Amino acid sequence: MFRKPHPKRSEHLSSSFDERQDLRNTLLAGGILTAGLGAMAIASTSQTLALQIPSRATIILTIVSLLITFSGLLALRSAIPARPLAYGTLIAYTAIITILVHLTGGPLTPVPALYLVVVVAASFLLGIQGAFFTAVLSIIGYAFILYLEYRGVLAMVPIWELSFSPEERGPLLVVNWLTLSLPTLTTAFLAGTLAERWQRTNQHLRESERLRAGLTDMLIHDLRNPLSSLMGALELLELTDRADSAEGAAEEREELLSYAREGSERLLQLINTMLDLSKMEAGRFEPTWEKVEVAPLVREVAKEASLSASLAEQQIELRLEEPLPTLECDSQLLRRILDNLLSNAIKYTPPGSTILIHVHKAGHHIRFNVIDQGPGIPKAYQEAIFDKFSQVRRSDIRRGTGLGLAFCKMAVEAQGGLIWVESEEGKGSTFSFILPIHHREEGGD
């Protein structure tokens, strides 16, 4: 049984720039809230709405909070990673809110709701994991303050001239703590989930934009070559027509027509590949099932590719472990898959090397291997190269649209097969795919 190597899960919710920008916005919002806290401290006198908030302690807390805000903004200008800095900032703000809760009357006021603001900020900075971390930290901090007030270690600050005895109303403090804890955990889950979903969507949009930006450049590059060959051949052909009497004119015209035909075929093949990929992605492509003799087809494809290989000073070697059974597949798709893999091998294999095509029966499948002696593919790219418009970004590798391998993957999977690559840098690559010998209709046995 053949299985495609399991892809590594590596999902980045946001780029470093976005993380730093979000943290900067959070620090600015913290500064605005701190300014409000300072205004409240200044207004908190016995003559102002009967507030009994300790002004001196609150002003000191305001100054500390502002220092944290400015320190965080300065740290963002350095090379400190954004995520550790975000965790440190959120811990500091949570500690300040916990002290503020005590100074402003604890369970007698809505100030503990500020914990929810920090949890929401954590969800956008650090995802659901950071949101739950901040929520748990907030719940523990609030429980600690209530416990100290209950034990009499801290005297509860009377607000609005309301007296409250924590020692006598312990159950009420527990209810108050639960009233904060449940919404805080719920907010962490909902805000964290929504933030991660938004960040994934944002990541996909950035990736789509990157692909869109590179698509025009790649298509122009690959469409220009066959068009240039075609136009150049036609212009030279026009010149030879004017000198028809010259010796060897007929042979030269035939050669130019051959160049023009080759350029046209390359252009048509690229356009057909793009159209077929679109159909496959939309689920509108249906293979034409037929019984195919594998060995003659592979020999034919290898013979057609041998001219390009010889021009690159390479050889194509066949290793067919016959007898090979008749294969139920789409013969045109199989030809194009092999042609793409061979073209890929010819492009990356150095002169004087041999490209091996190895075909054999493997259980209920036929396995095709195209083995080159090229520079190899870094592990980081071995999954991505089968994606549409994906490229290996190396200076020693010629560029392309990245459509060939994407077409191979979709064409193989459309026939119920699997395709993968095994490669080591400096030791070449082996592109393998398997197709089931017998096509089974959907829902069949």
Side-chain angles (χ1 to χ4, degrees):
M1 182 177 180
F2 295 91
R3 292 183 179 178
K4 185 180 177 180
H6 192 278
K8 295 180 180 179
R9 296 186 63 187
S10 57
E11 191 176 70
H12 301 282
L13 295 177
S14 59
S15 66
S16 177
F17 174 81
D18 289 331
E19 287 179 343
R20 302 182 83 83
Q21 186 65 36
D22 290 342
L23 181 55
R24 183 178 292 107
N25 294 336
T26 300
L27 288 168
L28 291 175
I32 294 172
L33 287 174
T34 301
L37 174 63
M40 182 178 66
I42 293 172
S44 61
T45 66
S46 58
Q47 290 78 28
T48 307
L49 299 175
L51 287 171
Q52 301 296 315
I53 301 172
S55 300
R56 180 178 298 177
T58 308
I59 291 174
I60 293 174
L61 196 63
T62 301
I63 294 173
V64 172
S65 180
L66 286 173
L67 286 175
I68 292 172
T69 299
F70 288 123
S71 298
L73 290 173
L74 288 174
L76 279 173
R77 295 176 175 271
S78 67
I80 299 176
R83 293 183 73 83
L85 187 58
Y87 271 108
T89 302
L90 292 170
I91 291 172
Y93 279 147
T94 303
I96 288 174
I97 290 174
T98 301
I99 299 173
L100 181 64
V101 165
H102 167 66
L103 295 178
T104 56
L108 299 178
T109 70
V111 175
L114 288 175
Y115 284 125
L116 301 179
V117 177
V118 181
V119 169
V120 171
S123 68
F124 282 94
L125 289 174
L126 303 166
I128 195 168
Q129 183 179 356
F132 270 109
F133 170 81
T134 309
V136 171
L137 190 65
S138 301
I139 292 170
I140 293 174
Y142 189 48
F144 182 66
I145 288 295
L146 293 180
Y147 177 76
L148 292 179
E149 290 178 344
Y150 173 74
R151 300 295 295 178
V153 177
L154 294 176
M156 180 172 286
V157 178
I159 298 297
W160 311 110
E161 297 181 343
L162 295 175
S163 61
F164 185 88
S165 176
E167 297 87 350
E168 298 176 0
R169 299 188 180 183
L172 187 59
L173 294 179
V174 174
V175 172
N176 182 271
W177 178 76
L178 290 174
T179 303
L180 174 77
S181 300
L182 295 177
T184 303
L185 290 173
T186 303
T187 301
F189 174 74
L190 293 176
T193 302
L194 289 174
E196 289 198 347
R197 184 177 299 174
W198 173 80
Q199 289 170 339
R200 280 195 297 268
T201 301
N202 194 33
Q203 179 72 12
H204 292 327
L205 288 175
R206 284 198 302 268
E207 181 65 17
S208 298
E209 177 62 21
R210 185 187 68 80
L211 291 175
R212 185 200 63 78
L215 174 59
T216 302
D217 181 56
M218 288 187 291
L219 287 181
I220 288 175
H221 178 272
D222 271 33
L223 290 173
R224 182 177 57 190
N225 287 340
L227 279 175
S228 298
S229 299
L230 179 59
M231 293 176 64
L234 292 175
E235 288 177 5
L236 291 173
L237 186 60
E238 183 180 358
L239 292 176
T240 57
D241 283 340
R242 295 174 184 173
D244 195 19
S245 58
E247 185 178 354
E251 291 81 0
E252 188 175 352
R253 277 199 302 271
E254 185 64 31
E255 184 179 0
L256 291 173
L257 284 172
S258 176
Y259 289 150
R261 189 182 304 109
E262 182 182 346
S264 302
E265 289 174 353
R266 287 168 56 200
L267 183 59
L268 181 62
Q269 183 181 17
L270 180 58
I271 294 172
N272 285 338
T273 298
M274 294 180 65
L275 291 174
D276 288 343
L277 278 173
S278 298
K279 290 180 181 178
M280 290 177 182
E281 288 177 327
R284 294 184 287 105
F285 186 90
E286 181 62 33
T288 302
W289 300 104
E290 54 189 310
K291 294 184 181 295
V292 177
E293 296 295 333
V294 176
L297 184 145
V298 173
R299 290 193 183 96
E300 228 176 285
V301 173
K303 183 178 179 181
E304 292 171 0
S306 61
L307 177 59
S308 298
S310 63
L311 291 175
E313 300 179 18
Q314 301 160 355
Q315 289 184 343
I316 294 179
E317 180 183 332
L318 285 178
R319 187 182 299 166
L320 307 177
E321 296 186 8
E322 301 189 77
L324 292 170
T326 301
L327 179 65
E328 292 183 45
C329 67
D330 187 317
S331 62
Q332 291 304 313
L333 282 184
L334 180 56
R335 284 177 181 273
R336 291 171 65 184
I337 294 167
L338 290 170
D339 183 63
N340 273 304
L341 293 180
L342 280 173
S343 298
N344 198 62
I346 292 169
K347 183 188 298 184
Y348 299 135
T349 299
S353 302
T354 298
I355 298 168
L356 175 64
I357 304 175
H358 180 206
V359 184
H360 63 95
K361 183 176 179 293
H364 298 292
H365 298 79
I366 293 183
R367 177 168 174 168
F368 301 81
N369 303 295
V370 177
I371 306 168
D372 64 51
Q373 299 177 16
I377 301 169
K379 287 187 177 180
Y381 290 97
Q382 289 182 16
E383 291 292 337
I385 57 172
F386 292 103
D387 295 337
K388 196 174 179 181
F389 305 124
S390 175
Q391 295 176 305
V392 179
R393 302 186 181 280
R394 287 177 45 168
S395 58
D396 59 334
I397 294 181
R398 286 171 280 173
R399 52 186 283 178
T401 57
L403 292 175
L405 291 177
F407 170 81
C408 290
K409 180 177 184 293
M410 291 187 183
V412 167
E413 291 177 351
Q415 299 176 87
L418 289 174
I419 186 170
W420 66 93
V421 63
E422 298 171 9
S423 182
E424 185 176 345
E425 288 191 78
K427 296 185 178 180
S429 305
T430 298
F431 284 86
S432 304
F433 67 95
I434 56 173
L435 294 176
I437 295 172
H438 300 291
H439 165 61
R440 293 175 173 83
E441 296 289 345
E442 189 173 348
D445 295 332

